[in-house]
Amino acid sequence: MNICMDSTYAAGFKSRSQMARKVTEKWAEENLYCMSCESDRVACCPPNSEAVDFTCKKCSAAYQLKAMKVWNERRIPDAGYNAMMRALESDTVPNLLVMQYDATWSVRRLLLVPSFFFSPAAVQKRKPLGPHARRAGWVGCNILLSEISAEGKIPIISDGLPILSHIVRERYAAIRPLASIHAQTRGWALDVLRMIQQLGQKHFCLQDVYTFEKTLSAIYPDNKNVRPKIRQQLQVLRDLGFIRFAGRGEYELLR
């Protein structure tokens, strides 16, 4: 994987955003591989394809690329809020690729967030555009990287150094069992996993997870039985191999 992008693709564009889009998309077309199968190429989607920039012709995995000069560990601007929430419910969110490049058009970071690692908590609703905006009233959203657990943020390039493709694919495959959970209930498992990780300890107990009851209630206000739901999700995470029951309300984080 070549981290140097070809700036000649920016020729003919006046807008910096258009230049960046063209250069980064061309780089991705020439360098990206599929993370969910063994294909060494992904194909560009037709212009104006909604939310998807690349697809794998072998396994049909979809990818969206977000590129920027300034790295933001917390949030990434995305498209329409309602469209994103519909995509979450229908399980049609593409894999997200977050890129940082520098002034020399070199890729400094490239991060993969698998499609099945998004939850409602990771989608922040923005304020509607003002009445004088071209799309007055339109409501966008941000992807909150800070609300996605560590397993769901897989580095492909780190500090200008590409990670070996087989390592990236192994990390993707290790968490892929989460994709087997129904899209409308997967968010619970992801959020409980994220909160277990926030405890910062390998061994924990049920009461430790109960301390996040108010946080989960705020995310899922329609659910009035949060504690039973927490216990249910601990069983789900156990079955998927993320945690182990140690007995008598004790657990071990395996990843």
Side-chain angles (χ1 to χ4, degrees):
M1 180 177 283
N2 181 11
I3 67 165
C4 297
M5 296 188 283
D6 188 349
S7 60
T8 61
Y9 287 115
F13 294 95
K14 294 181 179 180
S15 165
R16 288 292 301 176
S17 61
Q18 289 180 326
M19 292 167 62
R21 178 183 57 81
K22 191 66 175 179
V23 172
T24 56
E25 285 184 355
K26 278 296 183 180
W27 176 88
E29 186 179 9
E30 295 168 0
N31 288 273
L32 278 184
Y33 54 87
C34 184
M35 292 77 186
S36 66
C37 74
E38 295 302 313
S39 177
D40 61 358
R41 283 289 182 270
V42 293
C44 265
C45 292
N48 300 318
S49 297
E50 185 177 5
V52 179
D53 298 314
F54 305 93
T55 56
C56 174
K57 293 188 175 181
K58 185 175 182 179
C59 72
S60 300
Y63 297 89
Q64 182 184 33
L65 177 65
K66 294 289 185 181
M68 62 205 71
K69 270 191 175 182
V70 179
W71 186 255
N72 190 329
E73 294 281 0
R74 184 172 180 272
R75 64 186 180 185
I76 305 296
D78 200 48
Y81 175 78
N82 291 332
M84 182 61 175
M85 298 309 292
R86 287 195 300 269
L88 277 176
E89 292 177 2
S90 61
D91 207 10
T92 55
V93 177
N95 297 291
L96 176 64
L97 294 163
V98 185
M99 175 200 288
Q100 180 196 20
Y101 60 93
D102 61 23
T104 67
W105 294 105
S106 293
V107 183
R108 301 304 305 162
R109 300 189 194 188
L110 184 63
L111 188 73
L112 167 70
V113 180
S115 59
F116 48 82
F117 238 89
F118 287 95
S119 76
V123 182
Q124 181 187 51
K125 188 176 184 179
R126 298 207 304 258
K127 292 181 179 180
L129 294 181
H132 302 295
R134 184 170 58 87
R135 292 189 292 172
W138 181 83
V139 179
C141 70
N142 296 315
I143 302 300
L144 299 179
L145 293 180
S146 57
E147 301 300 309
I148 296 173
S149 60
E151 286 90 348
K153 294 180 281 193
I154 303 174
I156 300 173
I157 296 175
S158 180
D159 292 329
L161 298 175
I163 310 297
L164 293 175
S165 60
H166 77 271
I167 294 177
V168 174
R169 285 172 170 148
E170 284 173 4
R171 291 191 62 179
Y172 185 94
I175 60 175
R176 197 167 188 170
L178 278 165
S180 65
I181 305 175
H182 194 279
Q184 294 184 357
T185 57
R186 190 186 302 144
W188 268 99
L190 292 170
D191 291 328
V192 170
L193 175 61
R194 175 170 56 87
M195 288 166 192
I196 290 171
Q197 292 173 332
Q198 288 180 10
L199 293 171
Q201 53 198 46
K202 186 176 178 66
H203 299 277
F204 62 96
C205 67
L206 184 58
Q207 291 300 321
D208 292 329
V209 190
Y210 281 165
T211 62
F212 296 103
E213 183 178 1
K214 288 185 178 180
T215 303
L216 289 165
S217 294
I219 298 172
Y220 302 99
D222 295 334
N223 191 296
K224 306 305 179 184
N225 298 290
V226 174
R227 289 197 173 196
K229 194 70 174 180
I230 288 173
R231 294 194 296 271
Q232 178 193 61
Q233 297 312 307
L234 290 174
Q235 293 176 1
V236 170
L237 293 172
R238 175 202 61 188
D239 294 343
L240 294 177
F242 286 89
I243 64 174
R244 182 181 71 85
F245 284 3
R248 296 187 178 183
E250 299 288 331
Y251 302 85
E252 180 184 3
L253 184 64
L254 298 178
R255 299 178 185 273

